[in-house]
Amino acid sequence: QLETLEQEEQECLELRPHPTEKRTHLVSHQHGMTVTKTLQEGKAEPQCQSFCYSQAKLRGLLLEGASLLLLRVLARRQTMPRDLVFPAFDTEGHLCTSSY
């Protein structure tokens, strides 16, 4: 019964003349999860977007760390169940599905 309570991702691109920084912050709470995406290009004001998802929509959610663990378990077992699909987040922080 593993559960992600909070997760932070950061990506920095050192492109001239405007370095870009992307951050994604996920926080689990009583009603579900909030995803906050922040994008800052150069010295411009950071752009922020937040998305909230209910517990019902997140049932079976597979985040990046859990996905790596699942792939290791499947490789170890040398088997792949048919139609293995989980809810996940895309690079923009929107809910999508991840199929194996």
Side-chain angles (χ1 to χ4, degrees):
Q1 287 288 339
L2 298 176
E3 180 182 350
T4 300
L5 301 177
E6 189 169 359
Q7 179 175 307
E8 180 89 27
E9 295 176 18
Q10 181 178 353
E11 179 182 346
C12 296
L13 301 171
E14 293 295 329
L15 301 172
R16 293 182 187 163
H18 302 291
T20 302
E21 183 176 334
K22 295 179 183 180
R23 290 179 184 254
T24 305
H25 188 230
L26 301 116
V27 178
S28 182
H29 47 76
Q30 178 179 355
H31 304 290
M33 187 172 281
T34 300
V35 178
T36 303
K37 298 281 296 177
T38 305
L39 174 66
Q40 184 168 10
E41 296 179 285
K43 296 183 192 267
E45 218 31 59
Q47 299 171 2
C48 248
Q49 290 182 316
S50 285
F51 311 98
C52 292
Y53 300 99
S54 68
Q55 289 286 0
K57 287 187 176 186
L58 298 175
R59 187 159 287 122
L61 177 66
L62 193 66
L63 295 176
E64 188 175 357
S67 177
L68 290 173
L69 182 60
L70 176 62
L71 288 173
R72 288 182 180 176
V73 169
L74 292 173
R76 181 84 173 161
R77 290 184 177 178
Q78 296 181 352
T79 183
M80 180 63 87
R82 294 172 52 125
D83 301 324
L84 196 55
V85 178
F86 295 95
F89 291 119
D90 66 14
T91 58
E92 299 302 315
H94 299 288
L95 202 57
C96 64
T97 56
S98 181
S99 304
Y100 292 83

